[in-house]
């Protein structure tokens, strides 16, 4: 008799079951860092089991003093696709997050063309958000169409850094790109002293624009650029400032830049970049308890 499926948090003892899954992903980082994921205080991983076999795996990570929960690391065994396993796995996970008093926002970031994942998120009642384009500037010698200018003025004072963010009146990205692959709603809970200290801030001469660049590692090291307007190519010195950071961090493989949909369309020539398929951020704020 076929057993009922059950969802449970994973421990290091579940590693063999994970290895038995046929996900079709070569050199899967979830397998590589499984021990860290299941012993971390900010990551949680769950498995969907039936008859002792793991059919799907997925979980969440907490950010912004545990205010934001980002779903992810979803994998399914290819031998059991089209059975609704992803929804079966994530529904109790989302229900648990809704009950967690620390968490105010639940979301996920996926490829725009990943229709199965998007259908799962819609079934879970998570709202569709902005489209984001991730480009890595790797060939600055091929960069054309930008407005040259001097490197912008560095900002070192922590109070000034926080003030630039909290007084920001327009954000064309529609998000705060906290890390590579991890955009969140623009929220002060993300702007901790340690985070701001690790960020390099630069302000243009007339103080109408600023850019944040932070070293980040997602398999490779990047200069991760956070710029909240769509006028990259019109702002004198912006690209000189971005390249200045890269030159000072030569171990980085390039400059990862988050563009809005319109910002991406404004790029005159793409040959200087590695271009990813567009992503889309889903997210919903929890309703306050009555």
């Amino acid at each position: 008799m076929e057993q009922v499926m059950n969802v449970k948090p994973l421990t290091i003892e579940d590693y063999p079951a994970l290895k038995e899954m046929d996900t079709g992903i070569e050199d899967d980082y979830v397998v590589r860092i499984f021990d860290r994921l299941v012993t971390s205080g900010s990551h949680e991983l769950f498995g969907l089991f039936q008859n002792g076999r793991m059919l799907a795996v997925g979980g969440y990570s907490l950010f912004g003093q545990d205010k934001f929960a980002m779903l992810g690391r979803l994998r399914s065994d290819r031998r059991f696709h089209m059975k609704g396993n992803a929804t079966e796995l994530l529904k109790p996970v989302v229900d648990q997050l809704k009950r967690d008093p620390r968490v105010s926002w639940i979301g996920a970031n996926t490829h725009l063309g990943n229709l199965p994942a998007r259908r799962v998120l819609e079934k879970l009642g998570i709202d569709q958000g902005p489209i984001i384009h991730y480009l890595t500037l790797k060939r600055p010698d091929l960069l054309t169409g930008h407005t040259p200018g001097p490197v912008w003025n560095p900002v070192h004072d922590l109070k000034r850094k926080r003030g630039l963010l909290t007084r920001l009146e327009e954000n064309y990205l529609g998000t705060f790109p906290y890390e590579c692959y991890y955009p969140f709603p623009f929220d002060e809970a993300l702007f901790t002293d340690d985070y701001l200290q690790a960020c390099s801030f630069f302000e243009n001469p007339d103080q109408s624009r600023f850019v944040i660049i932070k070293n980040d590692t997602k398999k490779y090291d990047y200069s991760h650029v956070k710029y909240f307007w769509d006028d990259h190519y019109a702002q004198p010195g912006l690209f000189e400032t971005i390249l200045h950071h890269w030159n000072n961090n030569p171990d980085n493989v390039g400059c990862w830049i988050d563009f809005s949909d319109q910002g991406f369309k404004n790029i005159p020539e793409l040959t200087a970049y590695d271009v990813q398929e567009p992503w889309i951020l889903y997210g919903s704020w929890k309703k306050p308890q009555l």
Side-chain angles (χ1 to χ4, degrees):
M1 182 176 176
E2 192 174 75
Q3 292 183 6
V4 174
M5 290 186 285
N6 68 291
V7 175
K8 75 178 188 74
L10 298 181
T11 68
I12 199 69
E13 285 75 28
D14 296 303
Y15 183 70
L18 176 69
K19 287 280 287 180
E20 285 296 313
M21 286 179 64
D22 176 14
T23 64
I25 302 173
E26 290 187 27
D27 188 29
D28 187 353
Y29 83 95
V30 170
V31 176
R32 276 192 281 113
I33 66 168
F34 180 75
D35 57 337
R36 279 184 276 159
L37 291 173
V38 297
T39 56
S40 164
S42 57
H43 306 293
E44 195 80 57
L45 210 55
F46 298 83
L48 175 68
F49 289 85
Q50 188 177 46
N51 300 329
R53 182 193 295 273
M54 194 186 301
L55 307 182
V57 63
Y60 61 82
S61 298
L62 297 176
F63 294 86
Q65 304 164 77
D66 299 340
K67 184 174 181 177
F68 297 93
M70 183 70 87
L71 302 171
R73 305 187 177 97
L74 184 63
R75 284 104 172 89
S76 296
D77 193 310
R78 294 188 295 181
R79 295 166 292 186
F80 305 97
H81 274 186
M82 306 303 292
K83 295 182 181 292
N85 290 340
T87 306
E88 194 79 23
L89 168 70
L90 287 179
K91 188 175 186 315
V93 174
V94 170
D95 288 344
Q96 175 185 311
L97 288 169
K98 287 178 177 176
R99 294 191 299 271
D100 190 328
R102 301 171 300 167
V103 175
S104 299
W105 180 92
I106 303 166
N109 197 30
T110 189
H111 281 120
L112 184 64
N114 189 346
L115 298 183
R118 294 178 62 184
R119 279 195 290 270
V120 169
L121 295 168
E122 284 157 12
K123 284 180 189 174
L124 295 170
I126 300 176
D127 299 328
Q128 179 178 311
I131 295 170
I132 309 155
H133 297 262
Y134 300 144
L135 279 68
T136 306
L137 177 60
K138 286 194 169 180
R139 292 288 307 274
D141 55 306
L142 299 178
L143 194 62
T144 60
H146 63 293
T147 306
V151 172
W152 292 3
N153 302 315
V155 177
H156 301 294
D157 181 70
L158 207 59
K159 187 176 179 182
R160 175 72 177 151
K161 287 180 176 183
R162 179 170 280 107
L164 287 171
L165 283 167
T166 56
R167 291 193 295 271
L168 184 69
E169 294 181 354
E170 49 190 4
N171 178 3
Y172 291 92
L173 282 177
T175 70
F176 182 77
Y178 185 79
E179 293 178 1
C180 301
Y181 292 122
Y182 285 92
F184 291 98
F186 193 95
D187 191 279
E188 291 186 31
L190 299 167
F191 312 150
T192 64
D193 286 355
D194 287 345
Y195 185 84
L196 296 183
Q197 201 72 56
C199 290
S200 297
F201 279 60
F202 300 90
E203 194 171 23
N204 70 350
D206 68 6
Q207 300 185 333
S208 63
R209 297 285 187 271
F210 66 91
V211 63
I212 307 169
I213 312 175
K214 184 177 182 295
N215 290 325
D216 193 17
T217 303
K218 293 292 182 287
K219 188 174 184 181
Y220 303 107
D221 296 332
Y222 299 94
S223 293
H224 183 209
V225 177
K226 311 163 202 294
Y227 184 70
F228 303 102
W229 297 267
D230 289 337
D231 57 1
H232 304 70
Y233 280 77
Q235 280 301 317
L238 174 58
F239 281 96
E240 283 77 9
T241 304
I242 292 169
L243 295 174
H244 167 76
H245 185 277
W246 187 9
N247 290 335
N248 286 335
N249 295 270
D251 291 337
N252 292 347
V253 300
C255 303
W256 178 300
I257 308 175
D258 294 41
F259 288 89
S260 73
D261 207 29
Q262 184 58 52
F264 176 76
K265 290 171 184 171
N266 291 345
I267 299 172
E269 174 59 58
L270 290 171
T271 52
Y273 300 94
D274 278 356
V275 183
Q276 297 191 40
E277 179 188 344
W279 290 67
I280 184 167
L281 179 64
Y282 279 74
S284 295
W285 291 94
K286 282 163 55 174
K287 293 175 182 171
Q289 299 295 316
L290 300 177

